[in-house]
Amino acid sequence: MAILNILHYPDERLHTVAKPVTVFDEHLQQFVADMAETMYQAPGIGLAATQVNVHQRVVVIDLSESKDELLVLINPEIIEMDGQITYEEGCLSVPGIYEEVDRAERIKVRAQRVNGETFEFAADELLAVCIQHELDHLNGKVFIEKLSRLKFNRILQKLKKNQRKTL
Ligand code: QAP
Ligand code: CO
């Protein structure tokens, strides 16, 4: 097991589009375990492989209080969506920033397990928001890029200022 390094916005590598996973082997199992460990120790509720500079379609999520309900999504796709929800989101790649984002309220998801088995499920509220947020990462998108240009520019200035401080 290992803690992986998390990229911070505005790292250009966060804009990479991830490729589908085609090999379901022990290496993938190990990588998923490392992603989960990294998310738990952050602590966070969701992490996409893009955020640890691995450009493969892998997401881990755990919304449980007890941190023992790990959801692993390999090659996730949203096959249905409806409704609208506004939720205050954060991101391990954008520390200290929380902003309201509009998303679909209910989605249907098709994904694969770490063994390659395909499964489908419905999600709503926070789980639906989190899946959409993580899928955006796999497509090279970060939540603050969904905000108005004014809000985005303000956040970008703040992040750059904070980065200068921590150098
Ligand atoms: C994505 O985000 C998410 O700024 C997961 O200082 C979040 O786990 C989707 C975190 C909210 C939907 C709603 C953020 C930790 C964790 C920070 C996270 C921070 C420390 C964010
Ligand atoms: Co994120």
Side-chain angles (χ1 to χ4, degrees), residues 1-164:
M1 299 269 274
I3 303 293
L4 307 170
N5 183 51
I6 298 176
L7 300 178
H8 286 165
Y9 205 86
D11 193 309
E12 263 312 306
R13 294 170 289 183
L14 288 169
H15 291 135
T16 313
V17 179
K19 294 193 163 64
V21 171
T22 55
V23 183
F24 294 83
D25 60 0
E26 297 105 272
H27 178 260
L28 178 67
Q29 273 183 35
Q30 183 57 56
F31 175 60
V32 166
D34 290 347
M35 275 187 65
E37 193 183 7
T38 304
M39 172 180 71
Y40 287 131
Q41 85 99 46
I45 58 169
L47 187 69
T50 311
Q51 294 176 272
V52 295
N53 198 31
V54 172
H55 304 288
Q56 300 269 327
R57 304 188 80 81
V58 178
V59 164
V60 293
I61 292 173
D62 192 337
L63 303 182
S64 71
E65 204 75 49
S66 43
K67 297 294 162 206
D68 58 359
E69 291 173 37
L70 183 67
L71 178 62
V72 178
L73 303 176
I74 313 284
N75 300 327
E77 292 171 70
I78 294 173
I79 53 177
E80 273 179 52
M81 52 169 90
D82 74 280
Q84 199 228 288
I85 185 170
T86 305
Y87 207 96
E88 185 172 87
E89 300 188 14
C91 181
L92 288 170
S93 293
V94 196
I97 304 290
Y98 302 88
E99 290 286 342
E100 288 191 337
V101 177
D102 294 331
R103 307 267 187 192
E105 189 186 10
R106 288 172 297 276
I107 58 175
K108 268 203 184 118
V109 181
R110 179 180 298 144
Q112 283 167 282
R113 299 187 208 283
V114 77
N115 63 11
E117 188 188 339
T118 298
F119 66 115
E120 289 183 10
F121 63 100
D124 64 5
E125 298 182 350
L126 178 57
L127 181 57
V129 169
C130 198
I131 291 168
Q132 291 170 82
H133 174 115
E134 302 309 336
L135 230 136
D136 273 355
H137 277 302
L138 300 182
N139 293 328
K141 265 225 162 236
V142 179
F143 83 106
I144 55 173
E145 296 166 348
K146 299 180 82 71
L147 305 173
S148 70
R149 224 159 74 190
L150 183 72
K151 273 191 182 171
F152 172 79
N153 286 336
R154 212 176 55 215
I155 289 164
L156 193 59
Q157 289 317 308
K158 187 169 163 184
L159 290 171
K160 285 180 177 167
K161 200 166 131 192
N162 288 344
Q163 229 157 45
R164 274 207 306 278

